[in-house]
Amino acid sequence: MRILPQRYRGQWPWVLAYLAIGLTLVVLLGYAAYDARQIRQIRASTLAQDLLWQEQAIRLHLQTNQNVIENLAYSLAADAIRPADFAARADALMKANPEIAAVEYISREGKRLGGLPVYSARPNSLTPLNDPGLIDALDGAASLGRPVYSAVIYRSTPQVVLVVPYFRTTVYEGAVLASYELPQLMQLQVPWWMVQRYDLALIDPSGQALLPADYVAAPGRLSKEVAFEPPGNGLKLRASIRGDSSPASRQIGLLIASVLLLLALLVWALMQVKKRMAERQRAEEALRDEIGFRAAMEDSLTTGLLAIGRDGELIYVNPGFCQLVGWRADELIGLQPPLPFWPPERLSHCASAFQSIRMGNAPSGGLQLRFMRRDGERFDVRLYASRLVDGRGEHRGWMASLYDTTEIRREREALATSRMQLRTVLEGLDASVSVTDARTGALLYRNRGHANRFSLQADAECCLVPLGAQPLHDGQGEEHFDVISGRWFAVQRRALDWVDGRPVWLEIAADITARRQAAEEARSRDERLQHTARLVSMGEMASSLAHELNQPLAAIAGYAAAGDSLLEIEPPALKRARETLGKIGDQAARAGQIIRGIRNFVAKRAPREDECRIDALLAVPVELLAPLARKAQVKIVVEPLAGLPSFRGDGVMLEQVLFNLMKNGIEAMAALPPAPRRLTVRAGVVDGGLEVSVTDQGAGFSSPDSLFQPFFSTKPDGMGMGLNICRSVMEQHRGHLRVENPPEGGCRFVCRLPLSDTKTDMTEEKA
């Protein structure tokens, strides 16, 4: 490579600029002619592709709407849609497609049957049903048996009507009509980039512009036409390129751009020298700033920094280190061991750590040392050391950093004391506390109460082994029976993070055996009260039941006398005698059923769990209360209960609940006139549970909450325990009993029983 003379060495940017100008001019001459031809071909190809895309987009949109309208026609043919539903679906289609002005359906005689808009509010701009173009489309659709688009119908705006016929078997019954406004269709289906790029027009069969009306084809522009399908009927969609520039103007633009580029290259070439000089100056200033910044960082650190030379002398200390030990930097630089900040009692330990640093054996976790300040105060530090290598890669010594750990050590001691206090509190708790690993189930901690109650094997890992409980969710509490100790425990579980960060379960188990025993005693008292209440109720109804039994007994006596008479005549009337004997058996069965219902109702026995149906449970109370209802002139109305699901529970206890509620309702209407005395019993499934309501027409209650309190009664001779017992029975079946004042007056008691989980509390306690 030849070396330029001195006077030419600074002129290379200008030489580069001249070469760029000449090369650009040569390229410009050949590129201008080639570009004009290529651009026109590309624009023509793009026009064809965009116009085809637009035609396909309109076709797809119209076909989608046609599918919806055909579904409406199929529904009409199958009588699967009502006029209101047709109007609702037509309204949704018109809202989603504003270009659809109307969706209607007509009979085969051409009479409008329904649709939108409502015919009374139908605008005059819509196509009338007697329009010739529409009639032709209707005839074509009926004869072809498929959807047909009408020709363009000129109203206030050009329109086309889609006619979709519907048939029952093969008989034409009518058609669904969808009126499209072509201006709205073009406005909504042509995207903005098509409008910016092309002049679009809808051409009728005569070649005139249908949309827009003032469209005039510009001569010399690139344009293309495609058939406007599916409406068809000679309609065409024409697109012309907007703003088509001539090749000459493009050549001038390219020439100007090339000249500007060349001028930019010239300016760039002149600025290079100045830029290089400025960059070098900035680099030197940045280096000085970096050095000053690093020095400022080291000086502002509270962490102590010191550098040790290869011979063991101190070659650098920062202000943070000087502040820690109390000596100035000029007093420490150059010193060798033993150093003045080493305590006399720790000289050997500090010298050994210093030698480990020089030998490169300093641990990565740092060294724990004790230093001495100038005033003699001792303080603990954590020191980290590493090799000191300069920018050329040469080993210059060792660099060490240290920070005061005195406060950290005190905080750790305080934390240890706090943990000891917490452990003492936990050990003194009567509840059993344990911590297990959430992943492995390993027992990490348990207090003295847990150890005294639960004896684990030597290889046991889970603290819940004595309880045999299923894992609980976070925050969930359950009661469990320990088969080993024979006691009940309430177990609470919480998710925590252990001291090492791993997830653990904190479990607290409290002995609730005494509480469970008290609950069992209370349940036994409730059972005795229930038995007593049944006996009292039956005592009140003894006269009515005696009258009820007298009826079948009297009938038996009468049938027996009649049978004896039939056998004495000659010849004996055996057939009628057999019928009389059958009636005697029916009346005896009826009397036995009454007696069995009374015996089952008043029998005292342990609660059990049976498969129950609400219609069977209501049969006994209705039969037992029939005499009382007739005496009180109350009509018991039991609404149909067929089809209700069965459930599990104690049938006799639930019969008693229904008996008490119905009996209370009958007695509540004693002061009413005979006409409106009506007791209504309803049952149904509500929100996954079975609800049975007993509604009377009495005076109602001003304070329903007090009805369930023990020994509260509104009757002069009442015990005040009936409703309280009823609510207890419902709660034992995991249901509930509530009282309502219906708007029509009276009082309504609602019993709710769960269907998904019908296991009763009594069954669990027996288990």
Side-chain angles (χ1 to χ4, degrees):
M1 179 178 178
R2 297 181 60 185
I3 300 177
L4 293 175
Q6 182 67 29
R7 64 178 180 274
Y8 296 115
R9 291 181 181 176
Q11 298 180 3
W12 64 269
W14 285 272
V15 175
L16 179 61
Y18 295 149
L19 292 175
I21 292 173
L23 181 61
T24 305
L25 290 175
V26 172
V27 173
L28 181 63
L29 295 176
Y31 182 77
Y34 175 80
D35 179 75
R37 184 174 65 254
Q38 289 294 108
I39 290 298
R40 189 169 183 84
Q41 293 177 355
I42 293 173
R43 290 166 71 89
S45 176
T46 304
L47 170 61
Q49 294 176 2
D50 292 344
L51 186 59
L52 181 60
W53 176 90
Q54 181 62 64
E55 188 268 338
Q56 293 294 333
I58 294 177
R59 179 189 296 272
L60 177 61
H61 178 73
L62 293 178
Q63 186 61 45
T64 301
N65 291 344
Q66 179 177 326
N67 294 339
V68 176
I69 296 170
E70 287 180 351
N71 289 335
L72 288 174
Y74 296 153
S75 299
L76 290 173
D79 291 332
I81 187 170
R82 299 176 300 175
D85 296 334
F86 184 95
R89 292 170 63 178
D91 182 62
L93 180 62
M94 293 170 64
K95 288 181 179 178
N97 302 271
E99 69 272 14
I100 300 179
V103 178
E104 310 164 286
Y105 64 99
I106 62 174
S107 65
R108 59 185 170 188
E109 294 84 8
K111 182 180 179 181
R112 185 183 186 277
L113 300 178
L116 291 179
V118 180
Y119 213 72
S120 60
R122 179 184 176 91
N124 295 328
S125 60
L126 294 180
T127 304
L129 298 179
N130 58 357
D131 188 272
L134 179 57
I135 293 175
D136 292 341
L138 288 170
D139 294 339
S143 60
L144 296 175
R146 59 179 177 82
V148 173
Y149 280 88
S150 71
V152 177
I153 300 173
Y154 296 91
R155 302 294 295 172
S156 59
T157 58
Q159 300 177 2
V160 293
V161 179
L162 172 62
V163 179
V164 180
Y166 62 93
F167 299 81
R168 288 188 176 90
T169 63
T170 59
V171 179
Y172 170 71
E173 291 294 333
V176 180
L177 310 180
S179 301
Y180 285 92
E181 294 184 350
L182 293 180
Q184 285 280 59
L185 177 64
M186 295 295 294
Q187 181 180 0
L188 295 174
Q189 296 305 315
V190 177
W192 63 268
W193 57 268
M194 286 287 290
V195 176
Q196 289 184 347
R197 190 178 299 176
Y198 306 107
D199 288 330
L200 296 174
L202 192 61
I203 308 301
D204 62 11
S206 63
Q208 299 297 322
L210 187 61
L211 293 172
D214 57 348
Y215 173 79
V216 178
R221 285 191 181 180
L222 287 174
S223 62
K224 189 173 180 61
E225 294 180 354
V226 295
F228 189 71
E229 298 288 346
N233 296 312
L235 292 178
K236 294 182 179 180
L237 183 63
R238 176 185 294 172
S240 301
I241 295 179
R242 177 178 293 176
D244 189 14
S245 60
S246 63
S249 62
R250 295 185 62 83
Q251 292 176 6
I252 294 174
L254 289 173
L255 182 59
I256 293 174
S258 301
V259 172
L260 292 176
L261 178 61
L262 292 174
L263 291 176
L265 289 173
L266 288 175
V267 174
W268 173 82
L270 292 173
M271 295 179 64
Q272 291 305 307
V273 174
K274 183 179 180 181
K275 181 179 179 181
R276 293 292 181 266
M277 295 178 64
E279 287 178 353
R280 182 171 182 177
Q281 185 178 2
R282 286 195 297 270
E284 293 176 353
E285 292 177 355
L287 180 59
R288 288 194 296 268
D289 291 342
E290 184 69 19
I291 294 174
F293 180 69
R294 289 180 179 273
M297 286 194 339
E298 294 174 359
D299 294 343
S300 62
L301 286 174
T302 58
T303 301
L305 299 178
L306 69 154
I308 305 171
R310 299 182 63 180
D311 297 330
E313 75 280 5
L314 293 180
I315 59 176
Y316 169 78
V317 291
N318 73 331
F321 182 81
C322 296
Q323 186 176 2
L324 282 175
V325 298
W327 277 274
R328 300 192 307 273
D330 57 351
E331 295 176 334
L332 297 175
I333 299 299
L335 295 180
Q336 290 188 346
L339 298 174
F341 48 81
W342 290 356
E345 70 276 7
R346 294 286 185 132
L347 283 178
S348 59
H349 181 65
C350 292
S352 175
F354 191 82
Q355 188 63 25
S356 298
I357 294 174
R358 293 188 62 190
M359 297 297 295
N361 297 328
S364 59
L367 296 168
Q368 186 67 37
L369 301 174
R370 174 163 290 185
F371 283 176
M372 179 181 65
R373 294 189 175 92
R374 191 164 191 168
D375 58 3
E377 180 185 357
R378 271 63 171 172
F379 64 98
D380 297 320
V381 297
R382 172 71 67 174
L383 186 143
Y384 300 89
S386 61
R387 289 168 56 87
L388 179 61
V389 180
D390 61 12
R392 294 187 296 271
E394 296 181 359
H395 177 220
R396 298 286 301 276
W398 295 267
M399 191 71 191
S401 64
L402 59 101
Y403 62 93
D404 190 349
T405 61
T406 305
E407 290 299 326
I408 296 177
R409 180 179 56 82
R410 292 175 182 171
E411 291 176 359
R412 288 178 178 174
E413 293 175 353
L415 180 60
T417 302
S418 176
R419 288 179 177 175
M420 182 61 67
Q421 294 172 350
L422 177 61
R423 190 181 185 91
T424 303
V425 172
L426 291 177
E427 293 297 327
L429 288 177
D430 185 59
S432 302
V433 182
S434 62
V435 178
T436 56
D437 192 303
R439 298 190 185 96
T440 64
L443 180 62
L444 303 178
Y445 168 78
R446 63 172 179 164
N447 68 343
R448 184 182 296 109
H450 190 280
N452 293 337
R453 287 189 177 94
F454 306 120
S455 300
L456 302 182
Q457 301 296 329
D459 56 349
E461 295 182 347
C462 180
C463 67
L464 278 181
V465 170
L467 297 180
Q470 297 294 328
L472 304 177
H473 298 292
D474 186 10
Q476 183 180 356
E478 290 186 1
E479 296 180 357
H480 296 282
F481 181 73
D482 182 16
V483 296
I484 298 177
S485 61
R487 304 188 69 80
W488 283 90
F489 294 91
V491 181
Q492 292 281 342
R493 167 176 279 197
R494 291 290 186 275
L496 302 174
D497 291 332
W498 197 234
V499 292
D500 55 1
R502 56 177 163 174
V504 298
W505 288 110
L506 171 64
E507 295 168 347
I508 303 175
D511 192 339
I512 58 170
T513 305
R515 189 176 68 189
R516 296 278 299 200
Q517 292 174 351
E520 179 64 24
E521 294 176 359
R523 188 184 64 80
S524 299
R525 288 194 301 270
D526 288 343
E527 290 181 358
R528 291 193 295 270
L529 285 174
Q530 293 170 19
H531 181 68
T532 303
R534 287 197 294 269
L535 293 177
V536 171
S537 299
M538 293 307 301
E540 294 175 354
M541 296 183 59
S543 60
S544 298
L545 291 175
H547 174 74
E548 186 68 16
L549 288 174
N550 283 332
Q551 292 181 357
L553 293 177
I556 290 172
Y559 287 135
D564 188 28
S565 300
L566 292 173
L567 292 176
E568 289 179 355
I569 63 177
E570 291 295 339
L574 298 179
K575 182 177 180 181
R576 294 182 60 188
R578 291 191 188 95
E579 294 176 355
T580 303
L581 290 176
K583 293 179 180 180
I584 292 174
D586 293 340
Q587 293 298 323
R590 179 185 173 191
Q593 185 177 5
I594 295 173
I595 295 173
R596 283 193 299 272
I598 297 171
R599 182 181 60 189
N600 290 335
F601 189 76
V602 301
K604 180 180 180 181
R605 55 178 178 77
R608 63 187 183 186
E609 189 170 318
D610 303 320
E611 190 75 19
C612 301
R613 296 190 60 85
I614 190 61
D615 50 356
L617 294 180
L618 279 170
V620 174
V622 169
E623 184 174 0
L624 292 177
L625 290 171
L628 179 62
R630 285 194 297 270
K631 181 179 180 181
Q633 298 183 0
V634 174
K635 181 179 181 181
I636 300 177
V637 179
V638 180
E639 296 190 352
L641 305 176
L644 294 178
S646 61
F647 56 92
R648 300 192 65 80
D650 192 313
V652 174
M653 296 179 69
L654 294 176
E655 285 176 358
Q656 180 187 351
V657 171
L658 296 173
F659 177 88
N660 287 345
L661 297 180
M662 295 172 64
K663 180 173 177 292
N664 287 344
I666 293 173
E667 294 174 349
M669 294 184 287
L672 295 179
R677 294 181 183 178
R678 180 187 180 97
L679 184 71
T680 305
V681 182
R682 297 186 179 93
V685 178
V686 180
D687 296 334
L690 180 65
E691 289 194 356
V692 182
S693 64
V694 179
T695 306
D696 60 53
Q697 296 175 321
F701 295 96
S702 58
S703 57
D705 294 337
S706 61
L707 296 178
F708 300 104
Q709 296 179 1
F711 306 108
F712 175 84
S713 177
T714 59
K715 295 181 290 186
D717 55 349
M719 294 177 59
M721 292 301 296
L723 292 178
N724 180 264
I725 293 173
C726 291
R727 185 173 65 174
S728 300
V729 171
M730 296 305 299
E731 290 175 351
Q732 288 174 354
H733 285 76
R734 300 198 175 184
H736 64 265
L737 174 64
R738 68 178 187 271
V739 62
E740 301 173 351
N741 283 324
E744 63 272 13
C747 182
R748 178 186 296 124
F749 287 90
V750 181
C751 305
R752 180 177 177 85
L753 291 168
L755 295 177
S756 58
D757 183 11
T758 56
K759 186 176 181 182
T760 63
D761 290 341
M762 299 92 69
T763 306
E764 292 179 353
E765 292 173 2
K766 287 179 67 179

